[in-house]
Amino acid sequence: MRALVLLCCFVASLLLPGQTEEAEDVSEEVPMRDRSHIEKTLMLNEDKPVDDYSVVLQRLRKIYHSSIKPLEQSYKYNELRQHEITDGEITSKPMVLFLGPWSVGKSTMINYLLGLENTRYQLYTGAEPTTSEFTVLMHGPKLKTIEGIVMAADSARSFSPLEKFGQNFLEKLIGIEVPHKLLERVTFVDTPGIIENRKQQERGYPFNDVCQWFIDRADLIFVVFDPTKLDVGLELEMLFRQLKGRESQIRIILNKADNLATQMLMRVYGALFWSLAPLINVTEPPRVYVSSFWPQDYKPDTHRDLFLKEEISLLEDLNQVIENRLENKIAFIRQHAIRVRIHALLVDRYLQTYKDKMTFFSDGELVFKDIVEDPDKFYIFKTILAKTNVSKFDLPNREAYKDFFGINPISSFKLLSQQCSYMGGCFLEKIERAITQELPGLLGSLGLGKNPGALNCDKTGCGETPKNRYKKH
């Protein structure tokens, strides 16, 4: 027994010093990275007030309500594209969207950019999948959490269209107001990580449709990877399909790069491009940033200068989006107007062809079914290209109109020539004037440094104060 006690004491004497050293290592503070380059690049220390764009945005709202929305509503464009533009969306700040697999550092990156680590504002992070909600970080006078159902009900914000995704999704939507200077000029959206072994129905809401809604409205899209998650599964492949056409907004981020030695980093960089090459069918690939976006200092014996330059380049990219806020907003509304015009021209062509083929003894349903099933037989799309200044690359999918006319009878529409009034003019002429004159003129006035005069919104209602249905009066 005595020998056993002596043996135990001897083992304890061996373990205790190591445990003490380990405790000292844990208590030792991890060196933190200098944040001065973030504040300098994003101009967070400057005391200049936030620019007031209310006059320009009021004029943009007026153009939309008076020249674009009438044709959009008359030909039910929202039922084709599922993209309704609200006043809140027109006046909203630039949106930066973070996408990517789970636990690659999306939430940590947001905490780092905003300096929220070790504060009560920080987003929860961890090695396991931690973000199960769509989290919208906005500016506010104090820390405040807003439930998704309230965000969707408040038309002062740009999130009211999200109600269409159902109550299960609204329970997974959360807004956080933070008194941070960067959020005065931009909105960050953190998303749930992609988990390849999870089926869509297990989320309880249409995850891909929700992602598409945010993608369509994002000014900058960060797709984040880390060296351990480079594989491409079905959910990530679907995500890149949704990103098609938005390549100019996409930035690929290879995070946690200081965990790798030089040779291994080169291999991982090549493997990332190998995995993404089949998904990005463009001549010029998206910009890839290689660094480690978190507050702790870079690990020793790594490419500190390279990682710092990459980080500054990303911050300059972000700052450029913020500076070009109005230009991007006007260009977005103009692009929307072009799509609405093309849709109206196509519906008008379908309707005109239907009227031409109808006789006294014809079955209207069969006649129109024949037209919808084979529009090329009746030169629907070719006529639009021949008689209007529409690019063939802007034409929507023919199959989409089968579904569109399946729920919208052709008899519910009027010809474009009949969409005119003595006082209001013609819908087509108004939207073409907005595309060719009004919106380019507004954009040109920004480039010349002019201050467009305020216009009266009494007739259009674009100057109404948005109402919150959940707010007590």
Side-chain angles (χ1 to χ4, degrees), residues 277-290:
L279 308 180
I280 305 176
N281 298 319
V282 291
T283 306
E284 184 177 350
R287 178 74 165 85
V288 179
Y289 295 101
V290 181

Side-chain angles (χ1 to χ4, degrees), residues 173-434:
L173 174 66
I174 185 170
I176 302 177
E177 289 186 348
V178 182
H180 193 281
K181 194 163 185 179
L182 179 57
L183 294 179
E184 293 179 0
R185 301 186 294 155
V186 70
T187 297
F188 286 159
V189 179
D190 191 16
T191 61
I194 294 171
I195 303 178
E196 294 297 349
N197 61 356
R198 174 178 292 173
K199 297 179 181 179
Q200 287 292 310
Q201 57 267 30
E202 291 180 4
R203 294 187 184 268
Y205 61 89
F207 176 74
N208 288 110
D209 293 340
V210 175
C211 285
Q212 187 67 65
W213 189 93
F214 282 102
I215 289 170
D216 288 341
R217 289 156 179 80
D219 297 86
L220 193 60
I221 302 170
F222 290 140
V223 185
V224 187
F225 295 89
D226 78 3
T228 65
K229 298 181 180 66
L230 302 179
D231 57 317
V232 176
L234 292 177
E235 197 166 80
L236 188 61
E237 184 177 352
M238 176 63 71
L239 179 65
F240 272 91
R241 287 180 190 170
Q242 294 176 288
L243 291 169
K244 188 175 182 180
R246 303 300 304 275
E247 286 81 9
S248 61
Q249 280 87 29
I250 299 174
R251 304 293 184 271
I252 306 296
I253 296 176
L254 180 56
N255 200 13
K256 307 179 185 179
D258 63 344
N259 288 330
L260 302 174
T262 303
Q263 186 177 16
M264 187 59 66
L265 180 60
M266 293 175 64
R267 291 176 179 173
V268 168
Y269 188 82
L272 177 62
F273 266 99
W274 178 267
S275 299
L276 298 182
L279 308 180
I280 305 176
N281 298 319
V282 291
T283 306
E284 184 177 350
R287 178 74 165 85
V288 179
Y289 295 101
V290 181
S291 188
S292 182
F293 295 91
W294 69 333
Q296 296 182 17
D297 199 6
Y298 299 116
K299 294 187 177 180
D301 300 325
T302 56
H303 299 278
R304 302 172 61 91
D305 293 340
L306 170 65
F307 296 154
L308 181 59
K309 289 179 180 178
E310 289 283 280
E311 187 175 319
I312 292 175
S313 295
L314 181 141
L315 295 174
E316 290 173 345
D317 220 347
L318 174 59
N319 192 60
Q320 192 66 37
V321 168
I322 296 173
E323 294 295 323
N324 293 338
R325 170 192 174 186
L326 281 182
E327 290 85 347
N328 292 339
K329 193 73 69 176
I330 294 171
F332 168 73
I333 296 297
R334 186 174 183 272
Q335 183 184 51
H336 178 77
I338 291 172
R339 289 172 175 167
V340 171
R341 173 179 175 267
I342 293 172
H343 170 68
L345 289 170
L346 282 170
V347 174
D348 177 75
R349 191 66 239 164
Y350 273 101
L351 180 56
Q352 186 64 60
T353 304
Y354 170 72
K355 289 181 177 292
D356 292 343
K357 298 300 177 183
M358 279 294 294
T359 65
F360 183 77
F361 299 102
S362 299
D363 185 330
E365 185 175 341
L366 292 178
V367 169
F368 191 66
K369 182 179 179 181
D370 189 28
I371 296 172
V372 172
E373 290 293 333
D374 190 6
D376 291 338
K377 176 182 175 182
F378 300 92
Y379 303 102
I380 299 291
F381 287 80
K382 290 183 179 179
T383 302
I384 296 297
L385 293 175
K387 294 186 177 181
T388 61
N389 58 336
V390 173
S391 170
K392 66 178 181 179
F393 301 105
D394 292 333
L395 290 176
N397 188 352
R398 292 160 170 76
E399 296 297 320
Y401 281 92
K402 291 183 181 179
D403 298 331
F404 177 77
F405 287 117
I407 58 176
N408 297 292
I410 190 64
S411 57
S412 64
F413 298 102
K414 294 181 180 179
L415 292 171
L416 280 171
S417 58
Q418 299 172 344
Q419 298 279 14
C420 299
S421 64
Y422 179 75
M423 296 295 294
C426 297
F427 287 175
L428 184 61
E429 291 178 359
K430 291 167 71 174
I431 197 170
E432 288 179 342
R433 191 183 310 116

Side-chain angles (χ1 to χ4, degrees), residues 104-117:
V104 293
K106 300 186 296 295
S107 302
T108 302
M109 183 175 177
I110 293 176
N111 286 336
Y112 172 58
L113 292 176
L114 297 176
L116 303 181
E117 58 277 350

Side-chain angles (χ1 to χ4, degrees), residues 54-73:
S54 58
V55 173
V56 180
L57 292 175
Q58 185 183 18
R59 183 171 176 184
L60 183 59
R61 280 202 307 266
K62 178 176 175 60
I63 293 173
Y64 172 71
H65 280 274
S66 62
S67 302
I68 302 172
K69 194 169 185 177
L71 196 65
E72 180 182 331
Q73 292 180 330

Side-chain angles (χ1 to χ4, degrees), residues 56-57 59-60 63 330 437-447 452:
V56 180
L57 292 175
R59 183 171 176 184
L60 183 59
I63 293 173
I330 294 171
Q437 299 177 25
E438 295 175 353
L439 291 172
L442 187 59
L443 191 61
S445 67
L446 293 176

